[in-house]
């Protein structure tokens, strides 16, 4: 038994190493002097300094954050409402509607992205900020519904009944009783949605307009055109931002279930 | 308060949004897949099934489709082989704070941008890259490895990207297995392997199936990973579809290929549905 325990520990550590190799390489090379990624590494922060004057990456980062922020607000609002409706009411077509929420994560993004490109072009919505927000909200909706519904599972409906019997209206109950209780779930869902949007590449790639790209799209273009360690520097910053977000989520949403 | 009005006001915004971004675009794409050309300006456009016929007539496309499905199956299997033991170790042999910390560590990289991860692999694998450098440092005279722009490079990058999905879904279903059940089996004399294959694997099947689909579906539609890690060897149906929309501008053909791909995925899903139904 002790033997097995050690094997499983060593195995877990190997898997973790495998998962972290590219990230550590990315970070290490962002501090490397050589433009051609020559090793061994010579310490330098020149690529971070170069970032400060790269206006293209600045605007792409700003666009990414704008899209992520706006689509997070919209999808959290709509997704929470849907989760509430599923929790409180039984109605015809409920099963169907529950299934309908999942296509954004069960159809390959390539197909959703190209379909949006075709349709938005056809009806005149076009590409750019508004198109990306349309797409990102649809992608993060399922995640919001799942996370908020998970929190609702442990909600005691007696609280709502009590509020109603004391004379609160439907919406008063919603905003003064249910939503405050749900808040940790809603915040976790919002952080989730934000991370999904910030990392989204495929949909953004098809909906990026010539003058409007996001950071992942800009990184992809840079990789294909021949890249510099500036890309490493900005990617390192993005990784730290994403990880901070995840740690934020873990404050509100218990990973790994019961311990 | 009218119940009907309440339900409608809660769900309408989200479903209108989904209609505009998923349902209508997919319908538009279906419509395009039967057109002879993109209806821009005054171009002559007529109905045709030629785009679908192209797929069945030119071996090139069906071979690529097969290649993509093979890639999907291989990536999924490797993820299962690597991920299941990892989930098992995490769920059943580690406890308390360590468990939560390890769990976070496993999903952290999955939170970093997929593109950034693939980009890092290019720096590890390329000629004179980290891997070659380290191996030649440990075992001088090994020479170049030539891993970059090969099929194994694509496999490695995709497995790395999707492994956390498998660990996550398997972990959730293994974690839900009652320890007392395992104790009972042990006290009745079941060996370790019996417990694993007759008890844990069947009970964890929902997680295995969920993880497999979560990996298989995006992998067959992937185009960024094959392009960056595979170079000239990285032609799959995903890259061909992308080309139709961004380079060749043959939208009808791209749309037809997408629908054929989705149709095949649905067929596979239906093939598995008896299994999925048994799980409920």
């Amino acid at each position: 038994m002790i033997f097995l325990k050690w094997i499983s520990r060593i195995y877990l550590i190997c898997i973790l190493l495998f998962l972290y190799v590219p990230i550590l390489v990315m970070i290490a090379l962002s501090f490397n002097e050589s433009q051609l990624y020559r090793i061994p590494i010579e310490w330098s922060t020149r690529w971070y300094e170069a970032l400060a004057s790269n206006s293209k990456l600045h605007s792409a980062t700003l666009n990414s954050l704008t899209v992520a922020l706006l689509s997070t607000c919209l999808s959290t609002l709509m997704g929470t409402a849907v989760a509430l409706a599923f929790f409180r009411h039984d109605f015809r077509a409920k099963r169907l509607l529950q299934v309908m929420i999942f296509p954004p994560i069960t159809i390959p993004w390539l197909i959703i992205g190209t379909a949006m490109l075709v349709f938005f072009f056809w009806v005149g919505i076009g590409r750019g900020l508004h198109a990306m927000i349309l797409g990102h909200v649809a992608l993060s909706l399922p995640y919001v519904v799942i996370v908020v519904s998970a929190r609702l599972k442990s909600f005691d409906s007696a609280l709502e009944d009590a509020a109603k019997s004391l004379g609160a209206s439907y919406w008063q109950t919603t905003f003064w009783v249910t939503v405050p209780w749900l808040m940790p779930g809603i915040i976790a869902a919002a952080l989730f949605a934000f991370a999904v949007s910030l990392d989204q590449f495929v949909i953004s790639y098809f909906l990026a307009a010539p003058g409007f790209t996001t950071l992942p799209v800009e990184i992809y273009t840079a990789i294909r055109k021949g890249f510099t360690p500036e890309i490493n520097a900005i990617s390192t910053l993005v990784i730290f931002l994403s990880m901070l977000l995840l740690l934020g989520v873990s404050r509100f949403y218990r990973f790994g279930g019961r311990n | 308060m009218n119940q009907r009005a309440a339900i409608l006001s809660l769900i309408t915004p989200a479903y209108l949004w989904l209609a505009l971004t998923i349902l209508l675009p997919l319908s538009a794409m279906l419509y395009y897949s039967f057109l002879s050309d993109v209806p821009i300006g005054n171009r002559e456009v007529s109905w045709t099934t030629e785009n679908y016929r192209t797929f069945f007539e030119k071996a090139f496309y069906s071979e690529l489709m097969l290649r993509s499905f093979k890639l999907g199956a291989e990536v999924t299997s490797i993820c299962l082989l690597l991920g299941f033991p990892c989930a098992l170790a995490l769920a059943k042999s580690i406890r308390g704070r360590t468990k939560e910390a390890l769990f976070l560590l496993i999903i952290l990289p999955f939170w970093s941008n997929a593109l950034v991860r693939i980009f890092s692999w290019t720096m590890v694998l390329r000629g004179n890259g980290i891997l070659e450098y380290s191996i030649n440092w440990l075992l001088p005279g090994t020479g170049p490895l030539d891993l970059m722009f090969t099929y194994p490079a694509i496999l490695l990058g995709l497995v790395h990207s999707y492994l956390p999905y498998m660990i996550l879904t398997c972990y959730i279903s293994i974690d839900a297995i009652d320890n007392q059940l395992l104790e009972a089996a042990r006290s009745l004399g079941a060996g370790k392997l019996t417990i694993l294959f007759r008890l844990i694997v069947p009970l964890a099947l929902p997680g295995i199936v969920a993880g497999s689909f979560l990996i298989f579906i995006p992998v067959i539609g992937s185009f960024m990973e094959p392009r960056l890690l595979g170079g000239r060897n990285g032609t799959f149906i995903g890259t061909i579809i992308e080309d139709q929309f961004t380079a060749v501008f043959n939208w009808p053909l791209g749309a037809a290929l997408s629908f054929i791909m989705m149709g095949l995925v649905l067929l596979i899903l239906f093939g598995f549905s008896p299994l999925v139904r048994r799980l409920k």
Side-chain angles (χ1 to χ4, degrees), chain B residues 255-269:
Chain B
L257 291 175
S258 299
F259 272 97
I260 293 171
M261 183 163 109
M262 263 204 306
L264 290 172
V265 170
L266 280 180
L267 269 182
I268 294 179
L269 278 175

Side-chain angles (χ1 to χ4, degrees), chain A residues 168-180:
Chain A
S169 74
Y170 186 90
W171 297 114
Q172 277 172 332
T173 313
T174 306
F175 289 115
W176 297 104
V177 177
T178 320
V179 168

Side-chain angles (χ1 to χ4, degrees), chain A residues 13 34 43 90 97 157 177 187-188 191-193 211 242 255:
Chain A
I13 290 170
S34 162
W43 174 265
D90 267 312
L97 288 176
S157 323
V177 177
I187 293 172
L191 290 168
F192 229 105
S242 305
F255 288 105

Side-chain angles (χ1 to χ4, degrees), chain B:
Chain B
M1 179 75 201
N2 182 344
Q3 169 137 337
R4 211 186 162 76
I7 297 173
L8 279 179
S9 51
L10 286 174
I11 64 172
T12 312
Y15 284 92
L16 274 181
W17 199 287
L18 286 177
L20 184 67
T21 53
I22 306 286
L23 198 65
L24 288 173
L26 284 178
S27 318
M29 189 121 114
L30 189 62
Y31 168 75
Y32 265 67
S33 72
F34 288 104
L35 294 182
S36 58
D37 201 351
V38 186
I40 304 177
N42 302 321
R43 281 195 218 169
E44 282 286 322
V45 173
S46 60
W47 290 96
T48 174
T49 54
E50 195 201 316
N51 302 307
Y52 288 92
R53 282 213 314 275
T54 308
F55 175 79
F56 292 102
E57 279 162 9
K58 284 194 188 155
F60 171 69
Y61 293 110
S62 34
E63 272 161 19
L64 277 180
M65 190 70 84
L66 196 68
R67 195 164 180 243
S68 288
F69 277 74
K70 192 174 143 258
L71 178 74
E74 284 177 14
V75 171
T76 311
S77 320
I78 299 175
C79 285
L80 180 61
L81 287 177
L82 290 177
F84 187 85
C86 181
L88 183 62
L90 196 60
K92 291 297 175 202
S93 74
I94 287 162
R95 282 185 194 87
R97 299 291 303 169
T98 334
K99 183 167 162 173
E100 204 181 341
L102 279 174
F103 193 82
L104 269 181
L105 275 176
I106 283 175
I107 51 177
L108 262 175
F110 159 65
W111 229 262
S112 66
N113 202 299
L115 191 70
V116 170
R117 279 177 282 169
I118 295 296
F119 171 50
S120 323
W121 278 115
T122 64
M123 288 180 297
V124 174
L125 297 175
R126 71 207 193 100
N128 285 321
I130 304 280
L131 188 66
E132 250 179 54
Y133 183 83
S134 338
I135 286 188
N136 278 301
W137 183 71
L138 285 171
L139 302 162
T142 319
L145 296 166
D146 290 328
L147 263 176
M148 192 62 188
F149 302 130
T150 60
Y151 187 78
I154 304 173
L155 220 50
L156 180 72
L158 285 169
V159 167
H160 181 263
S161 296
Y162 290 102
L163 183 60
Y165 284 88
M166 187 62 87
I167 299 179
L168 202 68
T169 54
C170 287
Y171 173 82
I172 291 168
S173 53
I174 297 175
D175 196 47
I177 299 173
D178 197 336
N179 279 328
Q180 285 178 343
L181 204 61
L182 304 180
E183 284 301 329
R186 211 168 289 142
S187 70
L188 288 171
K192 286 203 179 61
L193 286 177
T194 317
I195 294 181
L196 179 62
F197 287 106
R198 305 283 306 267
L199 207 61
I200 297 179
V201 170
L203 284 173
L205 215 50
I208 294 175
V209 172
S212 301
F213 281 114
L214 279 180
I215 295 172
F216 185 74
I217 292 171
V219 168
I220 54 171
S222 61
F223 66 92
M224 173 266 281
E225 296 89 345
R227 270 205 208 290
L228 296 183
L229 293 172
R232 272 193 298 131
N233 286 314
T235 310
F236 287 90
I237 201 72
T239 58
I240 295 289
I241 293 177
E242 188 230 330
D243 272 341
Q244 305 309 315
F245 286 96
T246 58
V248 193
F249 293 107
N250 191 347
W251 288 9
L253 179 62
L257 291 175
S258 299
F259 272 97
I260 293 171
M261 183 163 109
M262 263 204 306
L264 290 172
V265 170
L266 280 180
L267 269 182
I268 294 179
L269 278 175
F270 278 124
F272 272 94
S273 68
L275 180 70
V276 177
R277 211 170 303 130
R278 229 185 54 213
L279 299 176
K280 282 182 179 166

